[in-house]
Amino acid sequence: MTTGAFFRSTRVVLLGMVIAQAIPLLGSLVIARLYVPAEFGAFSTWLGVVMTASVLVTGRLEMALVIEADGEPRRFAMAATLATICSAAAVLFVLVLCAYLVMPDTRHFTPGLALAFLPATLLMAVAQTWQSWAAAEGLYRELSWIRIAQALGVTGVQVLVGWLAPSALGLALGNALGVLLGVVAAAFIMPLSLRAFLPWAGFRTKLRAFWVQHRRFPLFALPADFINTAAGQLPLFFITSKFGSEASGLYALSVRILGGPISLLGTAVLDVFKRSAATSYRKLGHCRDDYLRTFRVLAALGVVLALGVIVVAEPFFAWAFGETWRQAGVIAVWLMPMFALRFVASPLSYVFYIAGGQRVDLAWQCGLLGMTVLAFMAGLDFESSVKAYAAGYAGMYVIYLLLSYRYSKGGCA
């Protein structure tokens, strides 16, 4: 892919991401006034569990879609990944049910949120897989429409429920129903024929072959991404248990608002980078040029974003959400070094999947998890814990960039 084509494709994805991310960001202005920090903190903790479980049930096989050749091989890979998700979700349902029956104490914890957990996990996994399929096909406009539909659904239902009965359960139901809308939109925009699953006997044989071919993803990429997701959600659990739901609510809003624009830019670049890098790697045996071009773009944007957040974060949060949420702006400044480096490193880390470096990625993720636990266990107060976490995460991302660049040059698998 030429530099011009790269930027044109990125612009298309970015436009859709801007709209999709603007919806929840604008919705947050209303949500912050409808829900108190404690309810938002409880929902954020629940969402963290759902996000972690959704990574688990995919087996991370959706990351293999871009590696498959265009046409029938990728359509079958999509069907195989959906079949894997449904099977894994069924197993998860049995395990959760057994835990509920064997450990009666779990019944006392927010039964509404517990009931919403499994369908939300399944829907989130399916939605992410469909978006990965669109990106692998290079259908960036369709990908944008899918994300916009999902963002409208999530934010719209959460605001509506907030007017009627604001609670953590309302936020959870809004999230699940909104993701369902995104899945329906994805199936309409990019339909997958049921013939991909038929005949069933032949499909099962090909499915086993697909699992064997891409075994590195569930063996290495799955635990790595599971650990990464868990490490990202652990701060909420530590903050809630050590400093209370109000502190976790402030932290959660800060991450939501700060992560929004950073996520939309990073994801837009990733959606284009992974297709161009995978194509270069298949043809040339390396994707160094794609890597360096993308790194320069991300680094320049990262510096601009970091400076902007440091200057305006605290007054912006107080103005936009009210004085109750001013501390969330202060937290955003503490977290900015971590987010700036995440913005650069995360899209480029897809090189590990392309080059077969899942083992190295897994080792790095284990180090990240250890750092996260240490930061919050050693921190004496809320501020020192969050600052230690942000500094440690930033340092880990520097290592991540060095490793991913090495793999972009090929010959490291």
Side-chain angles (χ1 to χ4, degrees):
M1 179 181 288
T2 65
T3 301
F6 178 85
F7 280 109
R8 284 194 297 273
S9 298
T10 302
R11 187 168 60 246
V12 171
V13 180
L14 181 58
L15 177 60
M17 286 293 295
V18 166
I19 298 172
Q21 289 291 333
I23 293 168
L25 287 175
L26 292 174
S28 296
L29 299 174
V30 180
I31 288 172
R33 286 171 168 78
L34 294 174
Y35 299 89
V36 298
E39 293 292 340
F40 194 79
F43 160 72
S44 298
T45 303
W46 172 88
L47 184 60
V49 176
V50 170
M51 292 175 64
T52 304
S54 69
V55 170
L56 182 64
V57 299
T58 63
R60 236 30 185 157
L61 291 172
E62 85 282 4
M63 306 299 285
L65 294 175
V66 72
I67 299 175
E68 294 287 340
D70 293 343
E72 184 58 32
R74 187 173 292 135
R75 282 194 294 273
F76 172 78
M78 175 63 178
T81 303
L82 291 178
T84 303
I85 290 171
C86 292
S87 301
V91 173
L92 182 62
F93 172 79
V94 173
L95 292 176
V96 171
L97 180 61
C98 290
Y100 178 82
L101 295 174
V102 173
M103 297 181 290
D105 289 344
T106 60
R107 303 177 192 180
H108 300 295
F109 297 103
T110 55
L113 290 176
L115 287 173
F117 163 70
L118 286 171
T121 296
L122 176 61
L123 288 168
M124 189 170 292
V126 172
Q128 180 56 49
T129 300
W130 231 293
Q131 291 177 28
S132 296
W133 185 29
E137 293 285 348
L139 301 176
Y140 302 122
R141 295 185 188 278
E142 289 81 354
L143 175 61
S144 296
W145 282 114
I146 292 170
R147 286 174 171 160
I148 291 170
Q150 182 170 311
L152 278 171
V154 171
T155 305
V157 178
Q158 286 181 338
V159 170
L160 178 62
V161 173
W163 284 109
L164 302 175
S167 65
L169 178 58
L171 286 166
L173 291 176
N175 180 269
L177 291 174
V179 175
L180 174 60
L181 180 59
V183 170
V184 172
F188 177 78
I189 295 170
M190 294 184 62
L192 180 67
S193 174
L194 292 177
R195 287 179 295 181
F197 300 90
L198 300 174
W200 177 242
F203 179 81
R204 284 186 299 175
T205 301
K206 293 170 65 178
L207 178 61
R208 285 192 292 269
F210 176 80
W211 287 342
V212 172
Q213 178 187 357
H214 295 294
R215 60 188 179 278
R216 283 193 177 193
F217 287 91
L219 286 176
F220 300 110
L222 173 60
D225 286 350
F226 182 81
I227 291 171
N228 180 267
T229 305
Q233 302 305 322
L234 271 179
L236 280 171
F237 294 103
F238 280 118
I239 292 170
T240 301
S241 62
K242 293 182 68 174
F243 309 114
S245 294
E246 183 172 349
S248 69
L250 292 169
Y251 175 88
L253 183 67
S254 176
V255 170
R256 176 170 177 160
I257 300 303
L258 189 60
I262 290 175
S263 174
L264 75 89
L265 288 170
T267 304
V269 173
L270 170 61
D271 287 334
V272 179
F273 169 72
K274 62 186 180 183
R275 180 174 172 85
S276 66
T279 301
S280 295
Y281 208 93
R282 283 197 299 268
K283 293 180 178 179
L284 306 174
H286 70 86
C287 56
R288 178 179 175 276
D289 293 342
D290 300 85
Y291 185 99
L292 291 175
R293 176 182 60 212
T294 307
F295 172 81
R296 287 191 287 267
V297 172
L298 291 170
L301 290 173
V303 170
V304 173
L305 286 170
L307 293 175
V309 168
I310 291 172
V311 171
V312 307
E314 183 178 350
F316 170 78
F317 273 80
W319 168 78
F321 306 111
E323 282 296 325
T324 305
W325 297 93
R326 177 179 286 275
Q327 184 62 23
V330 177
I331 296 170
V333 176
W334 298 345
L335 295 174
M336 194 58 234
M338 176 190 80
F339 273 98
L341 281 163
R342 175 185 295 178
F343 173 70
V344 179
S346 289
L348 295 172
S349 69
Y350 200 84
V351 167
F352 290 116
Y353 299 112
I354 297 171
Q358 289 94 331
R359 287 188 180 87
V360 173
D361 185 43
L362 175 58
W364 183 87
Q365 300 292 352
C366 290
L368 175 65
L369 180 63
M371 181 281 300
T372 301
V373 173
L374 181 62
F376 283 96
M377 293 297 291
L380 298 177
D381 55 34
F382 176 66
E383 179 176 348
S384 63
S385 296
V386 174
K387 285 183 175 179
Y389 168 69
Y393 218 136
M396 291 296 295
Y397 273 132
V398 173
I399 298 172
Y400 210 33
L401 282 168
L402 294 173
L403 290 171
S404 61
Y405 175 65
R406 180 185 172 217
Y407 271 82
S408 75
K409 294 186 288 185
C412 296

